[in-house]
């Protein structure tokens, strides 16, 4: 039901379950708008897994997650996949043209992961992953990894000191032979605090996809092969 799926938390944050419907490409317009709006202040990268085969940048261009950003990665290396400014019409156009929405509607989409990093426990002093759906046997596909260069790119694009991963989603759209990972990052300032603009976290989206029409290679190879 649209009224249920589009509910927000008291803090105005989109629910993990709503993001799951958004990324599995089967959601109503109102909830889709809430998801699109949550990325309005951030950067969106939409990249094929082949981006991992690009020549490696110089040592000065690499950045680990959570580390401060000093210089941008090699100029324009990832800019070709910058899809910032996600709108509801663009989202539904992708749903239709990619046939991913049809895949989910027909029950031919497998959810590998839909999880969120919860805030730090004041007693334990550490955060933990809250998993809506997970398939540990399937495992995260290494072909869909987000490199330090990509996190450096999204941090530099908005002038952030660093970024931190807060949510992760992964799906196999069997109808079209497509495997996709969607990761959410928030910007951090020099004190390690989440950057907020217009009352919302500065949220970034990085999508990496493998395929399409590669049914035989949608499962990652077992370790050791």
């Amino acid at each position: 039901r649209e009224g249920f799926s589009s509910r927000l938390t008291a803090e105005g944050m989109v629910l993990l379950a709503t993001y799951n419907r958004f990324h599995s490409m089967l959601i109503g317009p109102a909830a889709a708008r809430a998801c699109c709006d949550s990325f309005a202040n951030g950067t969106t990268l939409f990249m094929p897994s082949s981006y991992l085969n690009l020549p490696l940048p110089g040592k000065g261009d690499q950045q680990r997650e959570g580390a401060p950003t000093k210089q941008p990665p090699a100029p324009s290396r990832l800019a070709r996949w910058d899809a910032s400014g996600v709108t509801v019409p663009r989202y539904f156009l992708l749903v239709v043209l990619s046939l991913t929405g049809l895949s989910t509607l027909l029950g031919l989409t497998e959810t590998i992961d839909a999880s969120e990093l919860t805030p730090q426990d004041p007693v334990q002093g550490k955060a933990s992953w809250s998993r809506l759906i997970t398939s540990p046997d399937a495992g995260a596909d290494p072909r869909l990894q987000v490199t330090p260069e990509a996190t450096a790119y999204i941090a530099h694009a908005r002038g952030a000191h660093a970024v931190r991963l807060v949510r992760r989603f992964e799906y196999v759209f069997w109808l079209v032979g497509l495997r996709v990972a969607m990761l959410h990052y928030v910007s951090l300032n020099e004190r390690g605090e989440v950057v907020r603009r217009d009352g919302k976290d500065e949220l970034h989206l990085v999508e990496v996809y493998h395929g399409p029409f590669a049914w035989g290679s949608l499962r990652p190879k077992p370790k050791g092969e």
Side-chain angles (χ1 to χ4, degrees):
R1 291 174 299 176
E2 181 61 30
F4 174 81
S5 65
S6 62
R7 286 187 308 172
L8 305 180
T9 66
E11 293 78 19
M13 300 293 290
V14 178
L15 294 172
L16 179 63
T18 305
Y19 276 128
N20 181 48
R21 293 187 61 188
F22 178 77
H23 289 311
S24 63
M25 313 300 270
L26 190 62
I27 193 172
R33 181 175 299 280
C35 293
C36 290
D37 288 348
S38 70
F39 301 112
N41 295 327
T43 298
T44 297
L45 285 177
F46 187 72
M47 307 183 292
S49 59
S50 59
Y51 94 96
L52 294 169
N53 300 325
L54 290 173
L56 293 174
K59 293 182 179 179
D61 296 325
Q62 289 289 339
Q63 178 187 328
R64 67 182 184 278
E65 182 186 325
T69 176
K70 297 179 181 179
Q71 299 293 332
S76 302
R77 279 172 47 88
L78 301 182
R80 73 186 78 174
W81 294 300
D82 192 323
S84 300
V86 179
T87 63
V88 174
R90 287 176 62 186
Y91 168 77
F92 281 111
L93 182 63
L94 179 63
V95 169
V96 174
L97 295 183
S98 67
L99 299 180
T100 50
L102 180 60
S103 178
T104 302
L105 182 64
L106 295 177
L108 297 175
T109 296
E110 179 182 0
T111 302
I112 304 300
D113 190 22
S115 53
E116 185 168 40
L117 190 63
T118 60
Q120 286 191 345
D121 185 303
V123 177
Q124 299 294 331
K126 59 182 180 181
S128 61
W129 283 97
S130 173
R131 303 192 180 279
L132 177 68
I133 299 173
T134 185
S135 300
D137 293 339
D141 193 329
R143 296 167 300 189
L144 304 179
Q145 65 179 289
V146 175
T147 64
E149 182 188 4
T151 56
Y153 179 92
I154 60 176
H156 178 83
R158 299 294 170 173
H161 182 71
V163 294
R164 185 181 71 213
L165 178 65
V166 292
R167 296 181 200 90
R168 187 184 189 282
F169 303 85
E170 186 172 332
Y171 307 91
V172 181
F173 297 94
W174 289 107
L175 180 66
V176 290
L178 187 68
R179 185 159 182 156
V180 189
M182 298 87 162
L183 291 88
H184 296 185
Y185 295 85
V186 290
S187 292
L188 303 177
N189 61 24
E190 294 183 356
R191 295 186 298 275
E193 301 167 337
V194 175
V195 175
R196 292 179 64 82
R197 300 184 190 278
D198 302 322
K200 298 185 294 186
D201 292 352
E202 188 170 89
L203 185 65
H204 312 278
L205 171 62
V206 180
E207 295 198 19
V208 184
Y209 59 89
H210 177 74
F213 309 119
W215 294 275
S217 61
L218 287 180
R219 293 294 190 196
K221 293 182 179 180
K223 292 182 179 179
E225 287 193 7

